[in-house]
């Protein structure tokens, strides 16, 4: 069981270290994690040798490695937390080495104390009758243990808790690492108190598992250059890297598809474009936005828009170009312009048709509401067909306009040709009579059929001020005689 736990710890540490190192072997956090995992692998391996060996010399040698390795792993853990969550502080050498100094001093003193046989902190191992291996404490063993508890446990937990509080974006991974570290430290203390050395050495497994979780779930370590290159290769836009002489040094798949650069050799990028049949057509507006446009005619026309970013280096200025295929966009823009022109023509045609309809409606209104001058000051208007709200409004407007134009005093409205008499027409006649009276004219009605008379009574229309005639002939004769 002891060997199984140790083996599990070694597998987890090795897998985590290799995975993070493969992500990016040049990144500082990845390297620090690898060193941290390596220190814990050596610590676990030394613990395995100490527990399984029967050679006193081997036991003595590996026992001296345990305490310094714990101090060194705590030092690397502090640096790793800084590099992952507070990189601007890790970049300051004074801060970085100030935090590392106590751990370096402790590692050095513990190593010298053991292998120099001073016995100030720990003394040689003692084999008891039961076969167990124990340390003999020196005079400053307890203060050293307190320093390790403070520097190796409290300080990392304080760092992680502070990060989780002050940096919301990093809160989730910091909390996972805080929980893993807390469980590991509590487990190590309990197993040490219960004299379970094997479990004590594997108690840091929760912390390693927490690192594995935040690595897989939150991607706290930088991806590898292989992964970045793969991502660049699958971008829809072309990516081209030029050297200081503007020669092509890298082109992804999209760039190779747009412009064949495999045979470009040492020619500049612009010459490679010209060889591929592209001509520059950059507009002043695009030039102001640091863009360049290239176009190639042919069976399949191609338009490229190139944006450039300079990279300053010791040997000069290199460049990274982004090539975007605007052919589809240009085609869509042309189709949109054609659709807009067709829409404008259609709109103009509709407006012309609407104007014709309005003129026709006006003509129909004039024809269906004819005003016949009988004499000076006397007009006759036959009403024909059905009258809805619009025709009633047109009737009132036309009637009042003609009264004003001809200074009419009497208007005879013939109801013989209407097809129905409803509330809207009754209201229109009442409004016409009142309005005409205000203008000094009077309204007379003729041609009232029985159904119309019944509707007038039903609508309770008051016709006290309106003269009524049976037929239009009677009304015309009466009005003309009255006018004379």
């Amino acid at each position: 069981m002891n060997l199984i736990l140790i083996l599990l710890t070694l597998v987890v540490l090795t897998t985590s270290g290799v995975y993070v190192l493969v992500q990016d072997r040049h990144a500082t956090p990845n390297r620090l994690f690898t060193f941290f995992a390596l220190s814990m692998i050596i610590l676990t391996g030394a613990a395995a040798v100490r527990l399984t060996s029967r050679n006193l010399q081997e036991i003595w040698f590996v026992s001296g490695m345990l305490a310094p390795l714990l101090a060194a792993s705590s030092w690397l853990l502090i640096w790793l937390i800084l590099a992952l969550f507070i990189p601007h502080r890790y970049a300051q050498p004074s801060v970085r080495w100030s935090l590392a100094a106590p751990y370096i001093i402790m590692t050095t003193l513990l190593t010298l104390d053991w292998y120099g046989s001073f016995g100030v902190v720990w003394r040689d191992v003692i084999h008891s009758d039961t076969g167990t291996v124990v340390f003999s404490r020196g005079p400053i063993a307890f203060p050293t243990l307190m320093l390790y508890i403070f520097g190796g446990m409290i300080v990392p937990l304080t760092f992680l808790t502070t990060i989780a509080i002050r940096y919301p974006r990093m809160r989730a991974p910091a909390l996972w690492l805080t929980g893993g570290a807390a469980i590991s430290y509590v487990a190590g203390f309990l197993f040490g108190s219960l004299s379970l050395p094997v479990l004590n050495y594997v108690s840091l497994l929760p912390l390693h598992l927490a690192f594995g979780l935040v690595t897989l779930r939150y991607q706290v370590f930088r991806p590898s250059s292989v992964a970045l290159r793969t991502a660049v290769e699958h971008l829809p836009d072309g990516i081209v890297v030029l050297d200081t002489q503007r020669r092509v040094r890298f082109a992804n798949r999209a760039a190779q598809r747009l412009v064949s650069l495999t045979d470009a050799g040492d020619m500049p990028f612009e010459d490679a474009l010209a060889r591929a049949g592209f001509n520059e057509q950059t507009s002043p507006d695009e030039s102001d936005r640091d863009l360049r446009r290239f176009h190639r005619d042919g069976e399949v026309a191609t338009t490229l828009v190139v944006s450039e970013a300079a990279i300053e280096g010791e040997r000069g200025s290199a460049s990274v170009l982004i090539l975007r295929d605007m052919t589809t966009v240009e085609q869509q823009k042309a189709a949109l312009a054609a659709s807009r022109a067709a829409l404008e023509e259609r709109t103009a045609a509709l407006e012309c048709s609407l104007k014709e309809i309005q003129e026709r409606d006006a003509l129909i209104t004039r024809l269906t509401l004819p005003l016949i001058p009988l004499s000076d000051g006397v007009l006759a208007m036959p009403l024909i067909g059905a009258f809805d709200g619009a025709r009633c409004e047109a009737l009132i407007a036309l009637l009042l306009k003609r009264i004003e134009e001809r200074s009419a005093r009497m208007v005879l409205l013939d109801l013989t040709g209407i097809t129905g008499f409803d509330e809207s027409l009754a209201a229109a006649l009442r409004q016409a009579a009142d309005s005409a009276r205000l203008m000094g004219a009077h309204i007379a009605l003729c041609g009232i059929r029985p159904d119309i008379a019944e509707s007038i009574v039903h609508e309770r229309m008051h016709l006290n001020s309106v003269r009524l005639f049976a037929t239009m002939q009677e009304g015309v004769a009466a009005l003309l005689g009255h006018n004379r």
Side-chain angles (χ1 to χ4, degrees):
M1 184 62 183
N2 297 344
L3 291 178
I4 292 176
L5 291 174
I6 292 176
L7 181 62
L8 176 62
T9 303
L10 291 175
V11 169
V12 172
L13 289 171
T14 305
T15 304
S16 302
V18 171
Y19 177 81
V20 170
L21 194 62
V22 168
Q23 290 294 301
D24 190 349
R25 60 188 177 87
H26 299 291
T28 300
N30 299 43
R31 290 184 175 185
L32 285 175
F33 181 81
T34 303
F35 284 124
F36 173 71
L38 182 61
S39 68
M40 300 308 299
I41 289 173
I42 297 174
L43 175 64
T44 306
V49 172
R50 179 175 178 269
L51 292 172
T52 57
S53 177
R54 292 294 180 263
N55 188 319
L56 291 178
Q57 188 66 24
E58 289 182 357
I59 296 175
W60 177 83
F61 180 78
V62 299
S63 297
M65 299 172 58
L66 300 180
L69 283 173
L70 283 173
S73 63
S74 301
W75 158 31
L76 292 173
L77 180 60
I78 293 296
W79 272 17
L80 180 59
I81 294 172
L82 281 181
L84 283 177
F85 301 106
I86 321 177
H88 63 283
R89 293 299 184 190
Y90 181 84
Q92 299 174 354
S94 58
V95 175
R96 184 168 69 248
W97 288 106
S98 297
L99 292 173
Y103 300 96
I104 296 175
I105 294 173
M106 182 178 291
T107 302
T108 304
L109 291 179
L110 290 173
T111 303
L112 293 176
D113 177 70
W114 183 265
Y115 292 108
S117 300
F118 295 110
V120 178
V121 182
W122 302 106
R123 297 174 182 171
D124 292 350
V125 295
I126 299 174
H127 283 267
S128 62
D129 297 336
T130 59
T132 59
V133 181
V134 296
F135 284 110
S136 176
R137 296 180 179 179
I140 64 170
F142 183 77
T144 304
L145 180 61
M146 292 297 101
L147 286 176
Y148 170 72
I149 292 175
F150 177 79
M153 299 182 183
I154 297 178
V155 172
L157 287 176
T158 303
F159 268 57
L160 291 171
T161 305
T162 304
I163 291 167
I165 295 173
R166 295 189 58 183
Y167 301 98
R169 185 174 60 85
M170 306 173 183
R171 182 168 298 162
L175 288 177
W176 277 107
L177 292 179
T178 303
I183 294 174
S184 294
Y185 296 152
V186 171
F189 176 78
L190 292 178
F191 296 150
S193 302
L194 297 175
S195 299
L196 297 173
V198 175
L199 295 179
N200 189 20
Y201 292 124
V202 300
S203 61
L204 290 175
L205 188 58
L207 177 59
H208 306 320
L209 293 176
F211 266 113
L213 175 66
V214 299
T215 301
L216 295 175
R217 184 171 182 179
Y218 300 102
Q219 298 295 319
V220 294
F221 296 99
R222 289 172 50 186
S224 65
S225 57
V226 176
L228 290 177
R229 187 183 183 94
T230 302
V232 170
E233 285 289 349
H234 289 82
L235 286 176
D237 293 334
I239 304 295
V240 179
V241 179
L242 306 181
D243 61 11
T244 54
Q245 283 76 38
R246 300 193 66 78
R247 295 172 298 188
V248 177
R249 286 295 171 257
F250 171 78
N252 67 348
R253 295 178 184 178
Q256 293 290 352
R257 177 178 53 82
L258 296 171
V259 184
S260 180
L261 299 173
T262 53
D263 300 330
D266 291 335
M267 69 174 59
F269 173 72
E270 287 76 8
D271 295 344
L273 283 178
R275 188 190 64 173
F278 284 92
N279 298 315
E280 186 167 1
Q281 298 179 353
T282 304
S283 65
D285 180 62
E286 290 172 334
S287 180
D288 294 339
R289 292 183 292 156
D290 296 329
L291 298 177
R292 301 175 67 186
R293 179 182 293 269
F294 296 87
H295 182 76
R296 177 176 63 188
D297 295 321
E299 295 182 0
V300 180
T302 305
T303 302
L304 296 180
V305 172
V306 180
S307 58
E308 182 172 347
I311 303 175
E312 300 294 337
E314 297 178 356
R315 300 181 180 180
S317 176
S319 299
V320 176
L321 306 182
I322 300 178
L323 281 62
R324 178 158 294 178
D325 186 3
M326 302 297 291
T327 305
T328 304
V329 176
E330 295 292 335
Q331 293 174 351
Q332 293 175 348
K333 191 180 295 183
L336 181 60
S339 300
R340 185 175 298 169
L343 180 60
E344 290 177 354
E345 293 178 359
R346 182 64 175 169
T347 302
L350 290 175
E351 290 177 352
C352 183
S353 299
L354 179 61
K355 185 177 180 181
E356 293 177 355
I357 292 173
Q358 291 174 345
E359 292 176 351
R360 186 176 60 190
D361 289 343
L363 178 60
I364 293 173
T365 300
R366 289 195 300 270
L367 293 176
T368 56
L369 295 173
L371 266 171
I372 304 170
L374 301 179
S375 66
D376 292 340
V378 180
L379 302 175
M381 177 183 284
L383 304 184
I384 303 171
F387 281 80
D388 54 6
R391 288 199 70 195
C392 289
E393 293 178 0
L395 167 64
I396 297 172
L398 182 60
L399 180 62
L400 298 180
K401 183 177 181 181
R402 293 293 183 265
I403 290 174
E404 180 184 12
E405 291 176 351
R406 296 180 178 274
S407 300
R409 294 292 175 264
M410 295 294 298
V411 179
L412 177 63
L413 300 180
D414 183 18
L415 306 182
T416 305
I418 64 174
T419 58
F421 190 92
D422 55 7
E423 182 179 356
S424 60
L425 182 56
L429 293 176
R430 184 166 53 249
Q431 183 178 352
D434 295 339
S435 301
R437 190 182 309 109
L438 293 176
M439 297 177 68
H442 296 277
I443 300 295
L445 299 179
C446 66
I448 298 178
R449 304 191 305 268
D451 57 328
I452 297 177
E454 184 179 354
S455 298
I456 291 175
V457 174
H458 178 72
E459 296 294 339
R460 296 183 180 180
M461 181 178 177
H462 300 288
L463 301 176
N464 298 331
S465 61
V466 179
R467 297 184 65 180
L468 302 175
F469 301 97
T471 63
M472 188 172 186
Q473 292 83 355
E474 180 183 346
V476 170
L479 294 181
L480 288 177
H482 175 77
N483 191 41
R484 286 194 295 270

